[in-house]
Amino acid sequence: MSTVNIPRLDLNTYINGDAVERKKFSQDIGKAFNETGFVTITNHGLNKQLIDELYQQVKTLFALPDSVKSNYEIPELSGQRGYTGRGKETAKGFKTPDLKEFWQIGQTVTDGDVIKEEYPDNLMVAELPVFNTVTLDVYKKLEEAGQHLLRAIAVYLNLPEKYFDNKVHNGNSILRTLHYFPIENPDAVPADAVRAGAHEDINLITLLIGASADGLELLTREGEWFPVKAHGEDLVVNVGDMLQRLTNNKLKSTTHRVVNPPRELMKNSRYSVPFFLHPVSDMDLTCLDSCVDAEHPKKYTDITAGEYLDERLREIGLKK
């Protein structure tokens, strides 16, 4: 298991550190993203009180009756805003849907940028006004943390530090609140049904705010499943397929899954809140010249972030 390099890094050392500390952070995150695609991050801007409040609101949301939640499921939004019910999302390559339901919050454009016209409005939960304000706060804090992480990644790739800044400003990022619902009768679900089938994320990077239970696993280069656990309020951050495409596989979008709990724990819920950091739709994902050479020939066709997202949403069943 020597290749399972998931370092615990302090984001404050990159934001406020000296040149040596900042350089080390960039090298550490780049090395981990090159090897396993995962790191855990401390001092990311979200305090314990906010995280606790977030999870309380998420639990309250999913405890609402199905008749209420279904009012917020808008098919033409392809799951990109509001509620998506059980059995709607299937991991790429799988036929059995994941055992989950979720709610998605997207970008709120406040600076007059015309890109606002591209995005549907977020759905406000009338029954839970605090949910709306807490998730917006969390969204903005994770977006800011993600921007700093992308700056560190840019330095590792020998790009200008702010290479990603204008590409993720008012980007198509998504905050997803997830409920892996209780499996009341394990014998009644398909044998291959899992909470989240093995998959790679679509976006640039994903910032995950812990989870209420274990279950997240990554696939190592040796083909073994390795449990990923965060300390307390740490973020788990991983590379998505867009960043892998851009870097011609230099940075690794690692396959991961959420496994079902032991049978005696199947009646317990699991909650999770990932933030999928997306760029604006017209970002060019053409492989960087610096990541292509004779030893590493170009592996991907040219495509924009918007085109790629559309393709992937169709593959996982959220878009027809």
Side-chain angles (χ1 to χ4, degrees):
M1 281 299 183
S2 58
T3 58
V4 184
N5 173 29
I6 307 177
R8 187 171 185 236
L9 304 177
D10 182 346
L11 184 54
N12 188 55
T13 65
Y14 185 78
I15 298 172
N16 296 311
D18 59 30
V20 173
E21 290 171 324
R22 288 164 58 79
K23 182 70 172 176
K24 184 176 188 308
F25 184 98
S26 285
Q27 290 302 311
D28 287 346
I29 196 171
K31 184 172 187 288
F33 281 172
N34 181 271
E35 294 176 2
T36 59
F38 274 79
V39 298
T40 62
I41 298 291
T42 67
N43 288 324
H44 40 69
L46 282 78
N47 60 36
K48 184 177 188 303
Q49 181 180 354
L50 179 59
I51 293 172
D52 289 346
E53 179 68 16
L54 171 68
Y55 270 96
Q56 184 55 54
Q57 290 300 315
V58 169
K59 290 174 183 176
T60 306
L61 171 77
F62 289 112
L64 291 172
D66 289 345
S67 59
V68 173
K69 289 182 289 189
S70 64
N71 292 332
Y72 298 99
E73 189 160 20
I74 315 296
E76 55 267 31
L77 294 180
S78 303
Q80 295 307 288
R81 300 291 187 274
Y83 178 68
T84 297
R86 304 177 182 199
K88 299 292 176 64
E89 184 173 81
T90 304
K92 180 181 175 181
F94 287 72
K95 290 187 167 55
T96 303
D98 291 342
L99 301 173
K100 68 189 182 192
E101 57 181 338
F102 56 90
W103 181 286
Q104 297 207 148
I105 297 112
Q107 183 64 258
T108 303
V109 178
T110 58
D111 59 2
D113 191 333
V114 294
I115 201 169
K116 178 179 172 63
E117 297 172 12
E118 288 186 24
Y119 301 139
D121 291 336
N122 283 310
L123 302 183
M124 298 292 110
V125 187
E127 296 80 3
L128 297 173
V130 177
F131 175 87
N132 304 320
T133 55
V134 167
T135 51
L136 178 61
D137 189 17
V138 168
Y139 186 109
K140 290 301 180 187
K141 284 182 164 60
L142 289 176
E143 188 174 42
E144 184 177 354
Q147 184 182 63
H148 287 299
L149 291 169
L150 286 173
R151 287 178 180 175
I153 291 165
V155 170
Y156 174 76
L157 294 170
N158 295 314
L159 297 168
E161 183 187 29
K162 295 186 178 180
Y163 174 85
F164 291 101
D165 279 21
N166 67 341
K167 297 170 177 60
V168 298
H169 175 68
N170 286 334
N172 194 19
S173 297
I174 293 287
L175 182 72
R176 172 182 281 195
T177 68
L178 270 161
H179 177 217
Y180 300 100
F181 47 80
I183 304 168
E184 300 291 352
N185 182 2
D187 297 323
V189 299
D192 60 347
V194 294
R195 286 184 156 175
H199 65 283
E200 299 79 44
D201 292 341
I202 301 170
N203 40 289
L204 290 170
I205 56 174
T206 300
L207 293 78
L208 174 68
I209 310 172
S212 64
D214 292 340
L216 178 63
E217 297 182 346
L218 68 82
L219 188 63
T220 69
R221 289 187 174 182
E222 293 78 22
E224 298 171 350
W225 288 103
F226 183 85
V228 181
K229 298 184 181 183
H231 301 260
E233 289 76 51
D234 289 2
L235 297 181
V236 176
V237 181
N238 64 275
V239 175
D241 282 353
M242 289 184 184
L243 189 56
Q244 176 173 266
R245 285 185 78 105
L246 183 71
T247 63
N248 198 39
N249 287 6
K250 180 178 177 70
L251 302 184
K252 184 178 176 64
S253 178
T254 302
T255 303
H256 54 285
R257 66 184 184 183
V258 178
V259 297
N260 295 339
R263 194 177 180 94
E264 65 272 14
L265 297 177
M266 283 189 174
K267 291 187 178 180
N268 296 339
S269 287
R270 180 183 190 267
Y271 301 92
S272 177
V273 184
F275 178 75
F276 301 115
L277 198 157
H278 281 263
V280 292
S281 60
D282 65 357
M283 179 183 176
D284 185 1
L285 296 180
T286 299
C287 299
L288 295 166
D289 290 342
S290 59
C291 296
V292 178
D293 56 30
E295 201 176 326
H296 306 92
K298 184 178 174 183
K299 295 184 180 296
Y300 301 105
T301 56
D302 299 348
I303 197 169
T304 66
E307 291 166 342
Y308 185 62
L309 174 61
D310 189 69
E311 176 185 301
R312 289 292 299 276
L313 289 177
R314 294 179 195 280
E315 288 174 346
I316 62 177
L318 288 180
K319 198 166 190 176
K320 305 301 182 192

